[in-house]
């Protein structure tokens, strides 16, 4: 564990991200000092993935454009910071200063009209503080034909900056509705891009300057909804726990009394129910290499989720810490690949598997393979659109090196350690030579109906919180209530384990001994419900449109839901395995 943490800190520092929150010691300025202002990107407001470089639009610049060196996570986040045309020196007041002047051609005017109609916004960073604004406005005057609209470009920005002694605390940018450039007509236009700067003193300390971005998700009416979500989830857990406690344990107690009351009485009885299949319940499943690989990948993803929540709770992912989450995901996934290799190989060898090399390769490609295919397609789409979501070749090389030099070696080392563990599968009952025939099952006891029942309860415990997460990931909301999210995640894990145990017991009681894959599929079925929610969110709760945004949304959400499927399937299987071992250990098996 110590070596893992050391490697964790090393890679974070290597790629420009420190897991310790900066105290801002490098953010002190004197009067007249240049404070960095970077233009980041532009894009349609309702399509968060479809963003472009600021100067892809025909803006002017007062000096040669300089690109800011970015960390890995910033590039993955689609940030492309360049020097902005506006100069905002510390405590320097300005009124209607011309930043630059440009004569827009007819093509430039048409381009601005198109982006204004699509509600394009711009994003900048001033001393690492985010600022946004719209590029212009459309006046429709009740008309429905876009050719009859009036188009106006905002060419004057008003910056209001708050400071505390020698530090910048807050910045607000406003567009002046009275200073506009009419772009309705298809002709060349001379545009002066101007700006004004006002400074105001504030008592807010530098350490709390990011708190205002967290307040949006912590407002009372939002907190009420979050707490309602928690209560709803807790009620689900209590009902499910009560169901298991009163029904399952009572039935099991009666079964234990019936089977263990007297050995002679047991021999005289005709066995029935789950006791009848004790000679088959621990028969190794089909496709055991695939099952072991799925358990290894699921265990790694669960470990990844736990580490992410730990970092979130200590405040690493504060608002607009650019690329921190993406950097954490890449680095932690790489460093936990050894867990996947160890878990998969050890379980595969317990199931008397012999080709452990193929099993380790399968483990490494089970999640990364679909993710790579999805990324390749979506990155090609982004390149075709010339969007900032397209990763540069250098970044792809860095990710490949992480995979080749960190992920793969750790995966192989974990596989070797798992193979050398040499532990046998702990089965309380001896497996018979020939499998018992499974009696005909009613339709609701088959795999798909069971998966539907298993996925619905965990999904109902998290669906309220899902909206806020989607609005943050696929929108412009800010989500910072990681404590509540951690509680919801814990409830999700508990409900998944409980409902899978319940369905496994009913399956065994129906004398169906093929519970191995069923428990995994039932546990992971919540991922299918989340993907179904994606369809609802896209068509009913968002205004996303266009091929690029649609493909990004459904493509990457498919990967995320597949990850949830593997993780929750692993939780469901592990819980069922503990339960099955417990009940068969408590009876006398011959």
């Amino acid at each position: 564990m110590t070596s893992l943490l050391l490697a964790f800190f090393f890679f974070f520092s290597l790629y420009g991200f420190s897991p310790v929150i900066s105290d801002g010691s490098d953010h002190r300025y004197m009067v007249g000092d240049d404070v960095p202002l970077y233009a980041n990107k532009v894009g349609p407001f309702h399509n968060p993935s479809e963003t472009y470089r600021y100067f892809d639009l025909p803006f002017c610049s007062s000096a040669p454009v300089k690109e800011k060196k970015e960390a890995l996570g910033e590039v993955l986040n689609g940030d492309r910071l360049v020097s902005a045309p506006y100069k905002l020196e510390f405590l320097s007041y300005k009124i209607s200063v011309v930043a630059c002047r440009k004569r827009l051609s007819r093509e430039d005017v048409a381009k601005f009209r198109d982006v204004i109609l699509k509600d394009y916004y711009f994003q900048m960073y001033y001393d690492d503080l985010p600022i946004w604004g719209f590029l212009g406005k459309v006046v429709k005057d009740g008309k429905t034909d876009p050719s009859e609209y009036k188009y106006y470009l905002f060419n004057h920005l008003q910056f209001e900056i708050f400071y505390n002694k020698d530090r910048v605390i807050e910045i607000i940018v406003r567009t002046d509705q009275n200073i506009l450039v009419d772009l309705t007509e298809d002709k060349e236009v001379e545009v002066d891009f101007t700006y004004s700067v006002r400074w105001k003193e504030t008592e807010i300390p530098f350490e709390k300057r990011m708190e205002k971005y967290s307040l949006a998700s912590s407002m009372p009416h939002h907190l009420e909804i979050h707490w309602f979500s928690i209560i709803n989830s807790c009620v689900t857990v209590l009902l499910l726990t009560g169901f298991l406690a009163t029904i399952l344990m009572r039935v099991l107690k009666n079964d234990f009394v019936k089977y263990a009351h007297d050995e002679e009485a047991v021999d005289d009885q005709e066995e029935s129910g789950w006791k009848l299949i004790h000679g088959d319940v621990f028969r190794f499943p089909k496709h055991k290499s695939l099952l072991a690989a799925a358990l290894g990948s699921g265990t790694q993803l669960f470990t990844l989720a736990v580490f992410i929540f730990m970092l979130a709770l200590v405040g690493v992912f504060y608002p607009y810490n650019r690329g921190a989450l993406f950097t954490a995901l890449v680095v932690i996934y790489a460093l936990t690949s050894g867990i996947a290799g160890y878990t998969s190989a050890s379980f595969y060898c317990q199931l008397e598997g012999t080709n452990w090399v193929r099993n380790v390769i399968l483990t490494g490609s089970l999640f990364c393979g679909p993710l790579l295919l999805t990324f390749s397609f979506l990155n090609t789409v982004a390149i075709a659109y010339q969007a900032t979501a397209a990763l540069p070749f250098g970044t792809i090389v860095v990710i490949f090196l992480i995979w080749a030099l960190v992920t793969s070696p750790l995966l192989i080392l974990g596989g070797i350690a798992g193979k050398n563990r040499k532990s046998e599968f702990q089965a309380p009952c001896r497996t018979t030579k020939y499998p018992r025939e499974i009696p005909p099952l009613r339709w609701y006891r088959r795999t798909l109906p069971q998966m539907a029942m298993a996925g619905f309860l965990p999904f109902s415990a998290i669906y309220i919180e899902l909206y806020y997460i989607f609005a943050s990931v696929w929108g412009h909301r800010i989500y910072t209530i990681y404590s509540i999210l951690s509680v919801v995640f814990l409830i999700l894990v508990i409900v998944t384990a409980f409902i899978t145990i319940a369905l496994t017991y009913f399956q065994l009681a129906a004398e169906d001994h093929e519970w191995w894959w069923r428990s995994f599929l039932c546990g992971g079925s919540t991922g299918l419900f989340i993907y179904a929610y994606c369809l609802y969110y896209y068509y009913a709760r968002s205004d996303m449109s266009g091929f690029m945004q649609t493909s990004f949304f459904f493509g990457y959400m498919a990967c995320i839901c597949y990850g949830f499927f593997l993780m929750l399937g692993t939780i469901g299987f592990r819980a069922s395995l503990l339960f099955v071992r417990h009940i068969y250990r408590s009876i006398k098996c011959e």
Side-chain angles (χ1 to χ4, degrees):
M1 179 60 71
T2 304
S3 60
L4 179 64
L5 290 176
L6 288 174
F8 171 74
F9 276 90
F10 169 74
F11 274 98
F12 267 72
S13 59
L14 180 63
Y15 293 110
F17 170 72
S18 171
V20 181
I21 298 177
S22 171
D23 61 358
S25 57
D26 56 340
H27 292 263
R28 298 180 181 273
Y29 304 100
M30 298 179 64
V31 178
D33 282 354
D34 286 332
V35 183
L37 173 66
Y38 293 104
N40 188 14
K41 51 192 175 183
V42 295
F45 182 77
H46 299 294
N47 290 353
S49 299
E50 186 183 348
T51 56
Y52 305 92
R53 294 175 181 269
Y54 182 81
F55 287 105
D56 283 349
L57 295 181
F59 289 110
C60 63
S61 179
S62 56
V65 177
K66 297 180 180 180
E67 294 189 0
K68 180 182 181 296
K69 185 179 180 181
E70 296 171 324
L72 174 65
E74 292 177 303
V75 178
L76 294 176
N77 194 41
D79 293 330
R80 303 292 186 271
L81 277 69
V82 296
S83 55
Y86 309 101
K87 304 299 179 184
L88 279 59
E89 296 87 358
F90 191 68
L91 291 181
S92 177
Y93 292 79
K94 297 182 179 181
I95 300 177
S96 298
V97 175
V98 177
C100 56
R101 179 179 290 110
K102 182 170 184 178
R103 186 169 188 83
L104 300 180
S105 65
R106 296 175 64 182
E107 291 77 13
D108 294 339
V109 170
K111 198 169 190 177
F112 268 125
R113 278 204 306 264
D114 181 57
V115 300
I116 291 172
L117 183 62
K118 294 178 180 178
D119 285 332
Y120 265 54
Y121 71 98
F122 67 84
Q123 184 188 50
M124 298 183 182
Y125 282 92
Y126 182 67
D127 195 41
D128 285 335
L129 293 171
I131 49 178
W132 314 264
F134 284 99
L135 299 183
K137 68 176 182 179
V138 179
V139 178
K140 299 182 180 180
D141 289 332
K143 299 175 182 178
T144 57
D145 187 358
S147 63
E148 298 178 351
Y149 297 164
K150 292 184 178 180
Y151 300 86
Y152 297 96
L153 175 68
F154 298 138
N155 64 316
H156 182 78
L157 297 181
Q158 297 175 340
F159 295 98
E160 188 174 7
I161 308 173
F162 297 83
Y163 70 97
N164 186 346
K165 297 179 181 178
D166 55 356
R167 286 177 164 180
V168 176
I169 304 300
E170 182 180 352
I171 181 171
I172 300 172
V173 64
R174 297 182 180 90
T175 52
D176 195 327
Q177 300 290 325
N178 298 318
I179 305 178
L180 306 168
V181 177
D182 191 347
L183 300 180
T184 305
E185 297 183 14
D186 194 15
K187 63 179 183 179
E188 294 186 354
V189 179
E190 188 84 20
V191 180
D192 288 338
F193 290 92
T194 61
Y195 65 106
S196 302
V197 184
R198 290 193 304 168
W199 290 83
K200 291 184 178 180
E201 191 169 7
T202 180
E203 298 296 326
I204 299 176
F206 179 83
E207 292 74 17
K208 295 184 178 181
R209 69 174 189 163
M210 286 292 182
E211 286 188 356
K212 82 164 200 171
Y213 303 105
S214 307
L215 295 178
S217 57
S218 303
M219 295 177 69
H221 64 281
H222 285 305
L223 283 177
E224 289 178 5
I225 298 175
H226 288 295
W227 281 116
F228 175 77
S229 172
I230 292 290
I231 294 173
N232 171 68
S233 304
C234 289
V235 169
T236 303
V237 171
L238 289 175
L239 289 176
L240 199 55
T241 306
F243 169 78
L244 287 174
T246 58
I247 303 299
L248 289 186
M249 299 312 296
R250 192 161 122 197
V251 171
L252 286 174
K253 183 178 180 181
N254 293 335
D255 288 345
F256 291 150
V257 171
K258 181 174 68 174
Y259 295 136
H261 177 67
D262 181 68
E263 185 174 358
E264 294 181 1
V266 172
D267 293 335
D268 294 338
Q269 287 180 352
E270 181 181 352
E271 296 178 345
S272 62
W274 58 271
K275 173 65 168 62
L276 183 63
I277 58 173
H278 65 81
D280 296 278
V281 72
F282 293 106
R283 188 180 306 280
F284 296 152
K286 300 176 182 178
H287 313 295
K288 53 189 176 184
S289 180
L290 180 60
L291 179 61
L295 293 176
S297 298
T299 304
Q300 179 186 8
L301 292 172
F302 178 73
T303 307
L304 170 66
V306 171
F307 271 103
I308 290 296
F309 277 112
M310 289 171 57
L311 292 175
L313 291 174
V314 299
V316 169
F317 305 130
Y318 58 89
Y320 299 105
N321 185 1
R322 292 190 305 275
L325 179 59
F326 286 101
T327 305
L329 288 172
V330 171
V331 174
I332 298 176
Y333 183 83
L335 296 178
T336 55
S337 59
I339 296 175
Y342 176 82
T343 304
S344 177
S346 62
F347 190 74
Y348 178 68
C349 292
Q350 287 181 26
L351 300 184
E352 299 178 358
T354 55
N355 196 342
W356 69 273
V357 176
R358 186 181 66 178
N359 172 252
V360 170
I361 296 174
L362 181 61
T363 304
S365 58
L366 193 62
F367 180 73
C368 289
L371 181 63
L372 176 62
L373 292 176
T374 304
F375 163 76
S376 299
F377 170 73
L378 296 179
N379 202 58
T380 303
V381 172
I383 292 173
Y385 274 74
Q386 296 183 339
T388 61
L391 293 189
F393 178 74
T395 304
I396 296 176
V397 170
V398 169
I399 295 176
F400 174 78
L401 290 176
I402 294 175
W403 176 82
L405 301 179
V406 180
T407 305
S408 296
L410 289 177
L411 177 71
I412 295 172
L413 289 175
I416 294 173
K419 178 186 74 76
N420 295 331
R421 185 184 176 190
K422 298 186 182 304
S423 61
E424 295 183 357
F425 183 79
Q426 302 297 321
C429 300
R430 190 169 51 197
T431 301
T432 58
K433 185 175 182 180
Y434 300 103
R436 183 183 181 85
E437 184 180 358
I438 300 174
L441 301 174
R442 293 183 178 272
W443 66 269
Y444 56 82
R445 289 188 180 274
R446 299 186 183 277
T447 302
L448 290 179
Q450 294 283 294
M451 289 176 63
M453 286 187 282
F456 176 75
L457 270 177
F459 175 78
S460 66
I462 65 170
Y463 80 96
I464 295 178
E465 208 66 24
L466 274 181
Y467 168 74
Y468 291 96
I469 298 172
F470 274 55
S472 174
V473 175
W474 300 105
H476 301 280
R477 286 179 178 265
I478 301 172
Y479 192 97
T480 57
I481 315 178
Y482 299 115
S483 56
I484 290 181
L485 186 60
S486 301
V487 174
V488 172
F489 178 75
L490 179 62
I491 292 173
L492 172 64
V493 171
I494 295 173
V495 174
T496 299
F498 281 5
I499 190 64
T500 309
I501 289 174
L503 292 175
T504 299
Y505 171 75
F506 290 134
Q507 181 182 357
L508 298 179
E511 301 179 8
D512 182 0
H513 54 80
E514 295 181 348
W515 61 273
W516 300 72
W517 274 108
R518 177 78 65 84
S519 62
F520 185 91
L521 295 174
C522 287
S525 59
T526 304
L528 303 179
F529 276 83
I530 297 176
Y531 198 70
Y533 180 82
C534 293
L535 295 170
Y536 165 76
Y537 181 85
Y538 181 85
Y539 290 106
R541 303 303 295 269
S542 76
D543 295 312
M544 291 184 281
S545 61
F547 177 74
M548 177 182 170
Q549 181 61 47
T550 303
S551 59
F552 264 68
F553 178 78
F554 287 107
Y556 281 125
M557 283 309 304
C559 293
I560 293 172
C561 293
Y562 176 53
F564 267 92
F565 178 82
L566 293 175
M567 180 181 68
L568 296 177
T570 299
I571 292 170
F573 174 81
R574 290 295 185 185
S576 296
L577 180 59
L578 289 173
F579 171 75
V580 172
R581 277 176 172 164
H582 174 73
I583 62 174
Y584 282 96
R585 191 179 292 118
S586 303
I587 63 172
K588 297 178 181 179
C589 298
E590 296 181 358

